[in-house]
Amino acid sequence: MNTIQIKASRYSGFGFIIQSDIQLRELTVFPDAEPSFHILIEKRELSSLWQEHSVSGRSFVINENFVMFHIKTVGIFFVSKGSEIFYAPENDADDDLIRLYLLGSCMGAILMQRRILPLHGSAFASGGKAYAIVGDSGAGKSTLASALINRGCSLLTDDVIPVTFHSNGIPYVTPAYPHQKLWINSLDAFGMNAEKYRKIFNRETKYSVPVVDHFESASLPLAGIFELTKTEGAEIRFRPLSKLHCLQTLFKHTYRNFYLANMNLIEWHFAISASLAEKIMMFQLERPEATFTAPELADQILDEIKGGVSF
Protein backbone atom coordinates (compact mmCIF):
# COMPACT_ATOMS: atom_id res chain seq x y z
CA MET A 1 0.00 0.00 0.00
CA ASN A 2 1.38 3.39 -0.97
CA THR A 3 1.15 6.18 1.60
CA ILE A 4 -0.23 9.57 0.52
CA GLN A 5 1.13 12.24 2.85
CA ILE A 6 -1.50 14.68 4.14
CA LYS A 7 -1.36 16.76 7.33
CA ALA A 8 -3.18 14.95 10.13
CA SER A 9 -5.06 16.10 13.21
CA ARG A 10 -5.86 14.25 16.43
CA TYR A 11 -9.28 13.69 17.92
CA SER A 12 -10.85 11.93 20.89
CA GLY A 13 -13.69 9.50 20.30
CA PHE A 14 -14.86 6.04 21.35
CA GLY A 15 -12.37 6.16 24.23
CA PHE A 16 -9.40 6.53 21.87
CA ILE A 17 -7.05 9.18 20.56
CA ILE A 18 -7.48 9.09 16.78
CA GLN A 19 -5.02 10.55 14.30
CA SER A 20 -6.75 11.33 11.01
CA ASP A 21 -5.79 13.06 7.78
CA ILE A 22 -9.46 13.73 7.01
CA GLN A 23 -11.40 16.15 9.17
CA LEU A 24 -13.65 14.39 11.69
CA ARG A 25 -15.89 17.33 12.48
CA GLU A 26 -18.13 15.38 14.86
CA LEU A 27 -15.25 14.45 17.17
CA THR A 28 -13.45 16.59 19.73
CA VAL A 29 -10.06 17.91 18.62
CA PHE A 30 -7.25 16.62 20.83
CA PRO A 31 -4.26 18.83 21.76
CA ASP A 32 -1.36 18.54 19.30
CA ALA A 33 1.03 18.10 22.21
CA GLU A 34 -0.27 14.57 22.84
CA PRO A 35 2.61 12.35 21.61
CA SER A 36 0.76 9.09 21.03
CA PHE A 37 -2.47 7.84 19.50
CA HIS A 38 -4.46 4.59 19.41
CA ILE A 39 -6.03 4.62 15.94
CA LEU A 40 -4.66 5.88 12.64
CA ILE A 41 -6.97 7.00 9.82
CA GLU A 42 -5.05 7.64 6.64
CA LYS A 43 -5.57 7.93 2.90
CA ARG A 44 -3.81 5.14 1.00
CA GLU A 45 -3.71 3.56 -2.44
CA LEU A 46 -5.84 0.40 -2.02
CA SER A 47 -6.90 -0.62 -5.53
CA SER A 48 -4.25 -3.34 -5.94
CA LEU A 49 -5.03 -4.78 -2.50
CA TRP A 50 -8.74 -4.86 -3.37
CA GLN A 51 -8.03 -6.63 -6.66
CA GLU A 52 -5.89 -9.18 -4.83
CA HIS A 53 -8.44 -10.12 -2.16
CA SER A 54 -11.91 -9.26 -3.47
CA VAL A 55 -14.41 -11.68 -4.99
CA SER A 56 -16.49 -10.61 -7.97
CA GLY A 57 -19.95 -9.41 -6.97
CA ARG A 58 -19.11 -8.93 -3.28
CA SER A 59 -18.51 -5.62 -1.56
CA PHE A 60 -16.76 -6.96 1.57
CA VAL A 61 -13.68 -9.03 2.37
CA ILE A 62 -13.78 -10.12 6.03
CA ASN A 63 -11.34 -12.35 7.88
CA GLU A 64 -9.47 -12.58 11.20
CA ASN A 65 -6.77 -10.18 10.01
CA PHE A 66 -8.68 -7.39 8.31
CA VAL A 67 -11.99 -6.02 7.06
CA MET A 68 -12.01 -4.41 3.63
CA PHE A 69 -14.94 -3.10 1.62
CA HIS A 70 -15.69 -1.11 -1.51
CA ILE A 71 -18.62 1.29 -1.73
CA LYS A 72 -19.38 2.54 -5.23
CA THR A 73 -19.01 6.34 -5.63
CA VAL A 74 -17.37 6.50 -2.17
CA GLY A 75 -14.20 4.39 -2.06
CA ILE A 76 -12.30 1.43 -0.64
CA PHE A 77 -11.79 1.02 3.11
CA PHE A 78 -9.32 -1.24 4.93
CA VAL A 79 -9.36 -1.91 8.71
CA SER A 80 -6.76 -3.99 10.57
CA LYS A 81 -5.06 -4.63 13.94
CA GLY A 82 -7.72 -2.72 15.87
CA SER A 83 -5.66 0.38 15.16
CA GLU A 84 -5.51 1.15 11.42
CA ILE A 85 -8.13 2.49 9.05
CA PHE A 86 -7.01 3.22 5.49
CA TYR A 87 -9.27 4.67 2.83
CA ALA A 88 -8.98 5.30 -0.90
CA PRO A 89 -11.74 7.68 -2.04
CA GLU A 90 -13.30 7.59 -5.47
CA ASN A 91 -12.90 10.69 -7.61
CA ASP A 92 -15.27 13.43 -6.39
CA ALA A 93 -16.32 11.32 -3.39
CA ASP A 94 -18.23 13.31 -0.76
CA ASP A 95 -16.10 13.79 2.37
CA ASP A 96 -19.24 13.59 4.50
CA LEU A 97 -19.99 10.12 3.11
CA ILE A 98 -16.40 9.03 3.69
CA ARG A 99 -16.73 10.13 7.32
CA LEU A 100 -19.95 8.15 7.69
CA TYR A 101 -18.14 4.95 6.76
CA LEU A 102 -15.04 5.79 8.80
CA LEU A 103 -17.04 6.42 11.99
CA GLY A 104 -19.57 3.67 11.24
CA SER A 105 -18.57 0.48 9.43
CA CYS A 106 -14.83 1.02 9.95
CA MET A 107 -15.13 1.86 13.64
CA GLY A 108 -17.40 -1.15 14.14
CA ALA A 109 -14.60 -3.34 12.77
CA ILE A 110 -12.00 -1.61 14.96
CA LEU A 111 -14.09 -2.29 18.08
CA MET A 112 -14.57 -5.97 17.21
CA GLN A 113 -10.85 -6.38 16.50
CA ARG A 114 -10.26 -4.98 20.00
CA ARG A 115 -12.94 -7.32 21.45
CA ILE A 116 -15.23 -4.42 22.30
CA LEU A 117 -18.92 -5.13 21.68
CA PRO A 118 -20.46 -2.55 19.32
CA LEU A 119 -24.23 -2.31 19.71
CA HIS A 120 -26.36 -0.43 17.19
CA GLY A 121 -28.23 2.34 18.93
CA SER A 122 -27.99 5.29 21.29
CA ALA A 123 -26.86 5.36 24.91
CA PHE A 124 -27.82 7.91 27.54
CA ALA A 125 -26.76 8.60 31.11
CA SER A 126 -29.09 8.93 34.08
CA GLY A 127 -28.20 8.80 37.77
CA GLY A 128 -24.58 7.87 37.10
CA LYS A 129 -25.47 4.84 34.99
CA ALA A 130 -25.66 4.15 31.27
CA TYR A 131 -28.70 2.82 29.42
CA ALA A 132 -28.74 1.66 25.81
CA ILE A 133 -31.55 2.01 23.27
CA VAL A 134 -31.14 -0.55 20.47
CA GLY A 135 -33.34 -1.26 17.47
CA ASP A 136 -33.58 -1.56 13.73
CA SER A 137 -32.75 1.38 11.47
CA GLY A 138 -35.68 3.80 11.56
CA ALA A 139 -37.00 2.54 14.90
CA GLY A 140 -36.53 6.00 16.45
CA LYS A 141 -33.53 5.37 18.71
CA SER A 142 -31.89 8.77 18.24
CA THR A 143 -35.23 10.55 18.49
CA LEU A 144 -35.97 8.81 21.79
CA ALA A 145 -32.48 9.68 23.06
CA SER A 146 -33.15 13.33 22.14
CA ALA A 147 -36.39 13.25 24.14
CA LEU A 148 -34.45 11.87 27.11
CA ILE A 149 -31.86 14.65 26.75
CA ASN A 150 -34.73 17.15 26.90
CA ARG A 151 -35.64 15.58 30.25
CA GLY A 152 -32.20 16.08 31.78
CA CYS A 153 -30.31 13.00 30.64
CA SER A 154 -26.93 13.14 28.91
CA LEU A 155 -25.86 11.49 25.67
CA LEU A 156 -23.05 8.93 25.71
CA THR A 157 -23.14 7.81 22.09
CA ASP A 158 -25.35 7.72 19.01
CA ASP A 159 -25.29 4.97 16.36
CA VAL A 160 -22.43 2.82 17.72
CA ILE A 161 -22.39 1.85 21.43
CA PRO A 162 -19.02 0.48 22.65
CA VAL A 163 -19.51 -1.99 25.52
CA THR A 164 -16.63 -3.46 27.53
CA PHE A 165 -16.34 -5.49 30.72
CA HIS A 166 -14.07 -4.02 33.38
CA SER A 167 -11.90 -6.19 35.62
CA ASN A 168 -14.67 -6.22 38.24
CA GLY A 169 -16.98 -7.95 35.75
CA ILE A 170 -19.25 -4.93 35.30
CA PRO A 171 -20.15 -3.85 31.72
CA TYR A 172 -19.41 -0.23 30.83
CA VAL A 173 -20.39 2.04 27.96
CA THR A 174 -17.62 4.23 26.54
CA PRO A 175 -18.67 7.66 25.18
CA ALA A 176 -18.25 8.07 21.41
CA TYR A 177 -18.66 11.73 20.41
CA PRO A 178 -21.07 14.63 21.18
CA HIS A 179 -23.30 14.49 18.09
CA GLN A 180 -26.65 12.97 17.19
CA LYS A 181 -28.13 12.10 13.82
CA LEU A 182 -31.78 13.20 13.53
CA TRP A 183 -34.18 13.08 10.60
CA ILE A 184 -35.98 16.24 9.55
CA ASN A 185 -39.31 14.97 10.89
CA SER A 186 -37.75 14.53 14.35
CA LEU A 187 -36.32 18.05 14.27
CA ASP A 188 -39.75 19.37 13.30
CA ALA A 189 -41.45 17.42 16.10
CA PHE A 190 -39.04 18.89 18.66
CA GLY A 191 -39.42 22.41 17.23
CA MET A 192 -35.79 22.52 16.09
CA ASN A 193 -34.83 24.61 13.05
CA ALA A 194 -33.09 22.37 10.50
CA GLU A 195 -31.28 25.37 9.01
CA LYS A 196 -29.09 25.51 12.14
CA TYR A 197 -27.61 22.06 11.51
CA ARG A 198 -25.47 20.34 8.89
CA LYS A 199 -26.92 17.61 6.73
CA ILE A 200 -25.22 14.25 7.19
CA PHE A 201 -24.43 14.53 3.50
CA ASN A 202 -25.77 16.71 0.72
CA ARG A 203 -28.66 14.62 -0.55
CA GLU A 204 -29.89 13.49 2.88
CA THR A 205 -32.69 14.84 5.07
CA LYS A 206 -30.84 13.62 8.16
CA TYR A 207 -28.86 16.14 10.20
CA SER A 208 -25.89 16.16 12.55
CA VAL A 209 -26.95 17.78 15.81
CA PRO A 210 -24.23 18.82 18.32
CA VAL A 211 -24.99 17.98 21.97
CA VAL A 212 -21.79 19.24 23.59
CA ASP A 213 -23.68 20.73 26.55
CA HIS A 214 -25.53 17.46 27.15
CA PHE A 215 -22.70 14.99 26.59
CA GLU A 216 -21.36 12.58 29.20
CA SER A 217 -17.61 12.17 28.62
CA ALA A 218 -16.95 9.48 31.26
CA SER A 219 -17.48 5.75 30.85
CA LEU A 220 -20.42 4.56 32.93
CA PRO A 221 -21.69 1.14 34.06
CA LEU A 222 -24.36 -0.26 31.76
CA ALA A 223 -27.50 -0.84 33.81
CA GLY A 224 -30.16 -1.62 31.20
CA ILE A 225 -30.95 -2.09 27.53
CA PHE A 226 -34.21 -1.10 25.84
CA GLU A 227 -35.07 -2.60 22.45
CA LEU A 228 -37.25 -0.10 20.58
CA THR A 229 -39.68 -1.58 18.05
CA LYS A 230 -42.59 -0.26 16.00
CA THR A 231 -46.16 -1.54 16.03
CA GLU A 232 -49.29 -0.80 14.01
CA GLY A 233 -51.24 -0.57 17.26
CA ALA A 234 -52.09 2.65 19.06
CA GLU A 235 -50.58 1.89 22.48
CA ILE A 236 -47.09 1.91 23.97
CA ARG A 237 -46.10 -1.51 25.32
CA PHE A 238 -43.28 -2.24 27.71
CA ARG A 239 -42.12 -5.72 28.74
CA PRO A 240 -39.02 -7.44 30.13
CA LEU A 241 -37.13 -9.86 27.90
CA SER A 242 -36.34 -13.46 28.79
CA LYS A 243 -32.68 -14.51 28.92
CA LEU A 244 -33.03 -16.37 25.61
CA HIS A 245 -34.65 -13.35 23.98
CA CYS A 246 -31.83 -11.20 25.41
CA LEU A 247 -29.24 -13.28 23.54
CA GLN A 248 -31.20 -13.05 20.31
CA THR A 249 -31.68 -9.30 20.74
CA LEU A 250 -28.00 -8.66 21.44
CA PHE A 251 -26.96 -10.53 18.31
CA LYS A 252 -29.60 -8.83 16.17
CA HIS A 253 -28.53 -5.38 17.31
CA THR A 254 -24.79 -5.87 17.27
CA TYR A 255 -23.43 -3.26 14.88
CA ARG A 256 -22.36 -4.94 11.61
CA ASN A 257 -23.06 -8.40 13.04
CA PHE A 258 -22.29 -9.94 9.65
CA TYR A 259 -18.59 -9.36 10.44
CA LEU A 260 -18.63 -11.85 13.31
CA ALA A 261 -18.49 -15.24 11.55
CA ASN A 262 -15.61 -14.51 9.19
CA MET A 263 -13.71 -12.73 11.96
CA ASN A 264 -14.05 -15.94 14.00
CA LEU A 265 -15.83 -14.05 16.78
CA ILE A 266 -19.05 -16.04 17.19
CA GLU A 267 -17.91 -17.75 20.41
CA TRP A 268 -16.60 -14.47 21.81
CA HIS A 269 -19.86 -12.74 20.98
CA PHE A 270 -21.95 -15.47 22.61
CA ALA A 271 -19.85 -15.34 25.77
CA ILE A 272 -20.04 -11.56 26.15
CA SER A 273 -23.76 -11.58 25.32
CA ALA A 274 -24.42 -14.27 27.93
CA SER A 275 -22.54 -12.22 30.52
CA LEU A 276 -24.58 -9.13 29.64
CA ALA A 277 -27.85 -11.06 29.85
CA GLU A 278 -26.91 -12.24 33.34
CA LYS A 279 -25.86 -8.86 34.68
CA ILE A 280 -28.34 -6.32 33.32
CA MET A 281 -32.06 -5.91 32.72
CA MET A 282 -33.35 -5.83 29.15
CA PHE A 283 -36.74 -4.69 27.93
CA GLN A 284 -38.70 -4.36 24.73
CA LEU A 285 -40.51 -1.09 24.15
CA GLU A 286 -43.13 -1.00 21.40
CA ARG A 287 -44.17 2.35 19.97
CA PRO A 288 -47.04 3.19 17.61
CA GLU A 289 -45.63 3.68 14.13
CA ALA A 290 -48.23 6.25 13.10
CA THR A 291 -47.77 8.80 15.89
CA PHE A 292 -44.92 10.75 17.52
CA THR A 293 -44.57 9.28 21.01
CA ALA A 294 -40.94 10.00 21.92
CA PRO A 295 -41.82 12.23 24.93
CA GLU A 296 -44.18 9.59 26.35
CA LEU A 297 -41.61 6.84 25.76
CA ALA A 298 -38.94 8.89 27.52
CA ASP A 299 -41.22 9.47 30.51
CA GLN A 300 -41.99 5.76 30.78
CA ILE A 301 -38.30 4.80 30.62
CA LEU A 302 -37.39 7.33 33.32
CA ASP A 303 -40.28 6.19 35.52
CA GLU A 304 -39.03 2.61 35.27
CA ILE A 305 -35.45 3.65 36.01
CA LYS A 306 -36.47 5.71 39.05
CA GLY A 307 -38.78 3.23 40.67
CA GLY A 308 -40.63 0.76 38.53
CA VAL A 309 -37.75 -1.64 37.89
CA SER A 310 -34.72 -2.64 39.94
CA PHE A 311 -31.69 -1.63 37.88
Side-chain angles (χ1 to χ4, degrees):
M1 290 179 289
N2 296 324
T3 302
I4 301 171
Q5 295 295 334
I6 300 174
K7 179 175 171 56
S9 298
R10 291 184 180 173
Y11 304 86
S12 61
F14 300 93
F16 303 115
I17 300 170
I18 302 169
Q19 178 166 299
S20 175
D21 62 7
I22 185 172
Q23 184 183 17
L24 303 176
R25 65 176 77 252
E26 297 87 355
L27 274 60
T28 303
V29 176
F30 211 85
D32 290 336
E34 174 58 42
S36 61
F37 57 90
H38 305 105
I39 297 171
L40 174 66
I41 298 177
E42 193 169 76
K43 186 176 181 180
R44 294 281 182 98
E45 198 290 307
L46 297 172
S47 57
S48 58
L49 195 66
W50 177 254
Q51 290 174 6
E52 177 184 352
H53 293 283
S54 63
V55 176
S56 179
R58 296 186 180 180
S59 300
F60 282 80
V61 178
I62 304 167
N63 57 46
E64 294 182 50
N65 298 315
F66 63 83
V67 173
M68 182 166 52
F69 57 94
H70 181 203
I71 306 299
K72 291 182 178 180
T73 74
V74 182
I76 302 170
F77 298 84
F78 179 91
V79 186
S80 67
K81 303 176 184 178
S83 61
E84 297 176 341
I85 301 174
F86 302 138
Y87 67 98
E90 300 279 3
N91 292 333
D92 300 322
D94 189 324
D95 278 0
D96 289 335
L97 269 177
I98 294 171
R99 270 193 296 274
L100 274 181
Y101 286 101
L102 292 174
L103 297 179
S105 296
C106 292
M107 192 55 63
I110 286 282
L111 294 174
M112 287 186 188
Q113 289 169 350
R114 287 175 171 265
R115 303 305 185 264
I116 298 171
L117 177 65
L119 294 177
H120 181 206
S122 297
F124 66 95
S126 179
K129 296 180 179 180
Y131 301 89
I133 305 165
V134 299
D136 294 336
S137 295
K141 304 178 293 295
S142 297
T143 302
L144 177 53
S146 190
L148 287 157
I149 290 171
N150 290 341
R151 281 152 175 73
C153 298
S154 299
L155 182 75
L156 279 157
T157 178
D158 186 56
D159 199 27
V160 182
I161 306 172
V163 179
T164 56
F165 276 85
H166 284 203
S167 57
N168 58 7
I170 296 175
Y172 274 72
V173 171
T174 302
Y177 51 87
H179 275 253
Q180 279 191 296
K181 300 181 183 74
L182 292 176
W183 291 103
I184 183 67
N185 58 344
S186 296
L187 294 178
D188 291 342
F190 287 122
M192 301 166 68
N193 184 358
E195 293 182 358
K196 294 182 178 181
Y197 307 106
R198 281 181 55 87
K199 289 184 178 181
I200 298 298
F201 62 94
N202 286 336
R203 295 177 298 279
E204 268 284 12
T205 56
K206 201 172 192 178
Y207 293 79
S208 180
V209 179
V211 289
V212 175
D213 294 336
H214 304 283
F215 183 66
E216 175 56 63
S217 59
S219 296
L220 293 177
L222 178 60
I225 296 177
F226 301 91
E227 182 191 26
L228 184 60
T229 64
K230 295 187 289 186
T231 176
E232 294 180 356
E235 296 182 357
I236 294 172
R237 295 181 180 178
F238 187 95
R239 66 183 181 90
L241 297 179
S242 67
K243 297 302 180 186
L244 178 59
H245 199 161
C246 287
L247 294 175
Q248 295 169 341
T249 299
L250 288 168
F251 180 81
K252 179 181 180 182
H253 300 302
T254 292
Y255 191 83
R256 302 299 185 258
N257 60 16
F258 64 90
Y259 291 174
L260 291 168
N262 286 356
M263 292 179 71
N264 197 26
L265 291 179
I266 292 295
E267 290 186 9
W268 165 79
H269 186 273
F270 179 83
I272 197 171
S273 297
S275 295
L276 272 178
E278 286 296 324
K279 292 183 178 296
I280 66 172
M281 300 292 291
M282 291 182 61
F283 304 88
Q284 186 178 77
L285 190 57
E286 288 188 351
R287 71 167 182 88
E289 185 172 11
T291 55
F292 181 75
T293 55
E296 291 84 355
L297 293 168
D299 288 339
Q300 183 154 354
I301 286 175
L302 292 177
D303 287 344
E304 296 293 345
I305 288 173
K306 291 174 182 177
V309 173
S310 177
F311 283 96

